[in-house]
Amino acid sequence: MPDYTNTSEPVIQVRSVIKSFGDQRVLDGIDLDVMPGEIMVVMGGSGCGKSTLLRHMIGSIVPDSGSVKLFGREITTLSEQEMNEIRKKFGILFQSGALINSLTVGENVALPLREHTHLDEKTIEIMIKIKLELVSLRIHADKMPAQLSGGMKKRAGLARAIALDPQILFYDEPSAGLDPVTSAQIDQLIIDLTRKLHVTSVVVTHEMDSAFSIADRMCMLDKGKVLKIGMRQEFETLRDTPAENLTSDQDKLIRQFLRGDADGPLSRRKADSDYEEDLLRV
Amino acid sequence: MADAGGNIQNIIKDITREGDVVIVKLTGEIDMHSSTELRGCLLEITQERPRLLVINMEEVLFLDSSGLAVFVETMQQSRTQGRQLKLVGLHPRVRSIFEISRLMDIFQIYDTQEEALA
Amino acid sequence: MGKSRSGTDEPFETSGYLHVLALLGGTAMGISRRVLATLGSISLLLSETFGGILCGVFVPGVRLGREALLTQMVRVGIKAIPIVIMIQLAIGMILPLQMFPKLDEFGQAEQIATINGIAAFRELGPLMTAVILSGFAGASIAAELGTMVVAEEIEALEALALNPVRFLVVPRLLATIVMMVLLTVIADVVMVLGGFLTSLRLGIDADVFYLLSREAVDLMGFGTGLIKAGVFGLLVGLIACYLGLAVKPWQGSDGVGKATTHTVVYSIVAIIGADAIFTVIFYSYGLFK
């Protein structure tokens, strides 16, 4: 079980992170703690900044201001070399799997092992088999990525992400574009890896079914701000409360998102624009 | 786990030979650094072709997949030689990495050394 | 390049209501700023690549990827051999033919061997090879790297703590340089061969052609040609890698297409520019007689 005692330090600590691209503010003061061994699901609509937040946590984007700590170390000021040492301790599953297309599936998984460890080739070969078996792709080790389906690519990407036995795993939209069965398999893998190997997981998603089936805690983003962080149960309660019983607009908005309702404050926000004026202007 | 440097402690606590049985007692954390050393040691022992190789892991608190791979390779060796390999005293955390990698059925795993030797 | 960590991706601000003069001034400044920024990033990429090469040579344990280098050499160079041969053979046949009437007027018809030999080794061998490779290798490298950016592969490499420069740019750049030099040797020889075929047809004695060609081609001409070829290879490889990696993930296939086109255009401009500079240097130092 995740460690929520007061004594344990968060593995990931994001503090008042602000990031703008051009004049568009994508992240507007984000605070987020991820505790050891938990599955934190970050959700929100498209363009809410969740992917950008993920890229801050993996150190591929540096914030305009604010702090990001991994394993208690500030990563926003690290040099490329220092960052690389941290990178070896976490894994990322990219949306498309992001396999290197010129290498076979097995070589992709072996890549971090061959580049970053001094393990014997024989050991690496066995490790590849073990990792690929974990994602049920062992028999496809010699295939090129182009020969795989989207779901298989994602699973291969996961096998590569766990190659170095990372302590944190980041997932960027793990179930996007997958059929329900594959999506459920990936969810189960996330749970297994987290529970059995004590990996800390951060999942960025907008698929609510998947989010509710894996999350320990959830964080909802909207327009670059955190709307709510809480235990999964709190979000479930919010989702299942009738809209009339909710007083705050914010809760209504979260509820609509969680339920995927067509009608609610989210849609009204879009409709409120100057449609009529725009149409009738001469 | 994969960080460079780190103090290289001896993970092999002791090796006892009783006739054609070799008992290897391990200690500490088996990670990407120490597994290379472990591999060398275990391969050396399998060259002796003992009838039974018992690996006592009661003091192993952490095992990563490179350590797992070393055990698999040792298992390959003893199988081709027609010898036996037994693992003893897996900590829950160590056991779970065996479980998640679906290796529980490949290895003979015992709770105590006595059981393994019986 | 670690570009995303250090650099900002902000687009250039454009304001619609500035009057024309300011707009022009702004554009000019924008362009010069852009050119400077690009040159800056290219030199950064170059220094990082050389760092990567040195690291691969001197630091034990760091692998350069010999297989990667070999694969790239085949891709960049070997496949371009037939085209290089075809084009150089044609030029070798055309050039003497064009020169022939005028030279014949002066009764110097056999001098087409000299002209052809000098042109081949000093100028057209390296130049044509470079132009061919800018289309052949440059475009394909830019397209490949651009596609890798779009497919998140570059980001994945970075996240795996693998330096894309060392991993991708180093083998491609080395391969382009090496193959450019080797192909230039082929191009030189084939062009002389083309000239030989023409001169036979024009009734010039084979022995005379051979002797004059030997005389025209000195070691200096050959060597400077190869130096030029190496630098052209560096330029093509560098521009291709830079523009390929400069594709932004959200630009998609459009960005890849642009990177490919720009690579060919900029490469050729850079090659000709470098060629002019080289010629000035070589002549002012009196390397050619």
Side-chain angles (χ1 to χ4, degrees):
Chain A
M1 261 326 273
D3 195 353
Y4 291 128
T5 53
N6 288 331
T7 51
S8 68
E9 289 273 311
V11 192
I12 305 169
Q13 194 180 53
V14 178
R15 282 288 173 276
S16 23
V17 160
I18 293 176
K19 181 73 184 179
S20 305
F21 292 120
D23 48 8
Q24 198 194 351
R25 182 158 282 196
V26 184
L27 295 180
D28 195 5
I30 300 275
D31 292 306
L32 179 67
D33 282 346
V34 182
M35 304 309 283
E38 75 169 334
I39 302 179
M40 166 63 85
V41 173
V42 178
M43 39 187 196
S46 341
C48 70
K50 55 189 194 301
S51 276
T52 311
L53 176 59
L54 181 84
R55 276 160 178 75
H56 277 85
M57 292 194 273
I58 63 177
S60 64
I61 300 181
V62 179
D64 296 340
S65 71
S67 123
V68 181
K69 283 185 183 167
L70 289 188
F71 310 106
R73 243 185 118 185
E74 180 67 46
I75 62 163
T76 52
T77 52
L78 290 185
S79 73
E80 199 64 19
Q81 276 84 358
E82 292 170 313
M83 190 61 218
N84 277 345
E85 285 312 311
I86 306 254
R87 283 183 177 130
K88 291 173 194 170
K89 294 199 250 177
F90 63 74
I92 307 150
L93 172 60
F94 286 92
Q95 214 174 116
S96 63
L99 300 174
I100 307 301
N101 275 310
S102 54
L103 302 177
T104 66
V105 172
E107 286 166 346
N108 262 286
V109 180
L111 188 62
L113 293 166
R114 292 197 175 125
E115 293 290 326
H116 295 316
T117 72
H118 299 288
L119 295 172
D120 192 85
E121 191 53 32
K122 184 90 200 198
T123 311
I124 292 179
E125 270 168 35
I126 297 171
M127 285 173 80
I128 300 170
K129 284 187 188 158
I130 293 175
K131 306 283 180 192
L132 283 176
E133 175 66 25
L134 220 54
V135 296
S136 326
L137 280 180
R138 194 170 38 80
I139 51 167
H140 302 292
D142 294 327
K143 287 201 177 143
M144 298 307 282
Q147 294 169 277
L148 302 185
S149 69
M152 287 158 96
K153 275 185 195 162
K154 230 170 222 187
R155 274 158 30 206
L158 183 53
R160 186 181 63 186
I162 59 173
L164 290 172
D165 291 354
Q167 297 165 36
I168 309 177
L169 271 170
F170 294 97
Y171 301 84
D172 189 7
E173 303 279 359
S175 43
L178 298 185
D179 63 87
V181 176
T182 318
S183 165
Q185 281 171 344
I186 297 237
D187 287 349
Q188 190 55 48
L189 261 172
I190 296 174
I191 295 171
D192 283 352
L193 289 171
T194 314
R195 296 284 175 267
K196 293 186 180 155
L197 300 180
H198 304 271
V199 177
T200 306
S201 298
V202 177
V203 184
V204 164
T205 188
H206 62 260
E207 311 261 329
M208 284 305 111
D209 288 344
S210 158
F212 277 109
S213 64
I214 58 178
D216 291 314
R217 288 200 302 149
M218 299 173 121
C219 166
M220 169 107 183
L221 294 188
D222 183 49
K223 292 179 176 169
K225 286 198 161 87
V226 174
L227 273 192
K228 182 181 172 71
I229 297 179
M231 301 300 290
R232 184 188 65 217
Q233 292 78 0
E234 296 172 40
F235 279 85
E236 278 169 347
T237 316
L238 192 54
R239 177 189 61 184
D240 300 335
T241 312
E244 318 71 274
N245 296 1
L246 295 173
T247 45
S248 84
D249 282 346
Q250 185 173 312
D251 283 351
K252 285 181 188 161
L253 196 138
I254 298 172
R255 179 181 178 275
Q256 188 198 351
F257 186 82
L258 296 177
R259 298 173 64 93
D261 287 346
D263 194 30
L266 271 176
S267 11
R268 228 163 289 140
R269 199 162 75 194
K270 281 172 191 149
D272 274 348
S273 61
D274 50 355
Y275 180 48
E276 201 177 303
E277 218 178 288
D278 191 19
L279 272 184
L280 301 179
R281 191 175 46 205
V282 273
Chain B
M1 279 171 241
D3 43 283
N7 49 332
I8 294 169
Q9 21 106 305
N10 205 346
I11 49 154
I12 292 138
K13 198 176 182 193
D14 65 17
I15 303 173
T16 43
R17 294 178 172 79
E18 294 167 15
D20 51 3
V21 177
V22 179
I23 302 164
V24 180
K25 206 164 175 138
L26 303 177
T27 182
E29 302 196 340
I30 303 176
D31 56 22
M32 305 239 172
H33 293 286
S34 50
S35 64
T36 316
E37 181 200 349
L38 177 67
R39 178 173 184 269
C41 169
L42 291 180
L43 286 185
E44 220 170 87
I45 292 173
T46 49
Q47 292 311 306
E48 298 173 20
R49 306 173 72 88
R51 178 180 61 82
L52 173 62
L53 172 57
V54 176
I55 300 175
N56 188 322
M57 311 231 287
E58 278 161 1
E59 290 179 28
V60 175
L61 299 173
F62 175 82
L63 171 79
D64 76 355
S65 53
S66 69
L68 211 54
V70 168
F71 289 135
V72 171
E73 194 183 348
T74 316
M75 191 69 196
Q76 289 173 356
Q77 296 281 326
S78 23
R79 275 229 181 136
T80 46
Q81 292 170 353
R83 311 288 150 139
Q84 274 193 303
L85 170 67
K86 292 181 179 176
L87 302 179
V88 168
L90 303 189
H91 269 261
R93 223 180 138 164
V94 173
R95 180 180 281 268
S96 57
I97 184 170
F98 275 89
E99 278 169 359
I100 196 173
S101 313
R102 309 207 297 138
L103 290 173
M104 292 301 277
D105 300 335
I106 294 179
F107 290 98
Q108 292 173 274
I109 296 169
Y110 297 86
D111 289 336
T112 64
Q113 198 163 305
E114 287 69 41
E115 282 176 49
L117 292 171
Chain C
M1 307 203 259
K3 52 190 184 318
S4 38
R5 273 185 74 74
S6 45
T8 48
D9 301 329
E10 56 166 37
F12 292 94
E13 322 88 62
T14 46
S15 10
Y17 53 88
L18 285 170
H19 62 84
V20 183
L21 199 65
L23 196 73
L24 279 176
T27 317
M29 269 182 55
I31 290 172
S32 57
R33 217 171 97 191
R34 212 177 208 144
V35 167
L36 279 180
T38 309
L39 286 180
S41 334
I42 289 190
S43 28
L44 207 69
L45 177 63
L46 181 65
S47 68
E48 225 179 298
T49 310
F50 274 107
I53 297 172
L54 289 179
C55 213
V57 176
F58 293 113
V59 181
V62 175
R63 276 172 295 180
L64 251 185
R66 235 170 288 267
E67 320 91 83
L69 182 60
L70 222 67
T71 321
Q72 292 305 323
M73 276 167 68
V74 170
R75 186 183 96 163
V76 165
I78 305 295
K79 291 183 181 163
I81 289 178
I83 297 182
V84 168
I85 291 181
M86 212 172 73
I87 289 187
Q88 284 301 98
L89 200 64
I91 293 178
M93 286 158 76
I94 295 165
L95 187 71
L97 207 56
Q98 302 272 33
M99 296 292 154
F100 179 72
K102 215 67 196 158
L103 288 169
D104 202 29
E105 253 174 56
F106 299 118
Q108 299 272 325
E110 69 281 0
Q111 288 299 334
I112 58 170
T114 315
I115 290 175
N116 191 49
I118 289 180
F121 280 76
R122 287 189 194 171
E123 193 57 48
L124 290 178
L127 193 66
M128 290 314 295
T129 311
V131 170
I132 294 167
L133 274 201
S134 72
F136 221 93
S140 92
I141 288 174
E144 185 198 23
L145 294 184
T147 312
M148 289 182 78
V149 172
V150 174
E152 296 179 310
E153 284 180 48
I154 304 291
E155 204 183 352
L157 278 178
E158 274 172 355
L160 288 169
L162 295 173
N163 184 342
V165 172
R166 182 175 72 76
F167 201 76
L168 300 170
V169 176
V170 168
R172 279 164 184 75
L173 197 62
L174 280 181
T176 316
I177 296 173
V178 172
M179 291 320 290
M180 187 77 82
V181 173
L182 293 182
L183 283 175
T184 298
V185 176
I186 297 179
D188 290 351
V189 174
V190 170
M191 186 166 158
V192 172
L193 207 70
F196 179 65
L197 294 179
T198 304
S199 67
L200 278 186
R201 189 89 181 85
L202 296 172
I204 292 159
D205 186 59
D207 287 337
V208 174
F209 185 90
Y210 176 76
L211 276 176
L212 284 175
S213 292
R214 276 303 313 268
E215 211 171 289
V217 180
D218 54 346
L219 202 61
M220 192 58 87
F222 181 60
T224 48
L226 292 192
I227 291 173
K228 284 207 287 195
V231 173
F232 293 165
L234 178 73
L235 288 173
V236 171
L238 205 58
I239 290 171
C241 289
Y242 174 77
L243 291 177
L245 287 178
V247 173
K248 299 278 176 252
W250 61 85
Q251 288 175 314
S253 51
D254 189 34
V256 177
K258 278 193 182 126
T260 314
T261 316
H262 288 166
T263 296
V264 177
V265 175
Y266 295 162
S267 291
I268 292 176
V269 171
I271 290 165
I272 305 283
D275 197 21
I277 295 172
F278 267 122
T279 312
V280 170
I281 292 174
F282 290 158
Y283 273 94
S284 59
Y285 279 90
L287 294 183
F288 295 143
K289 290 176 285 290

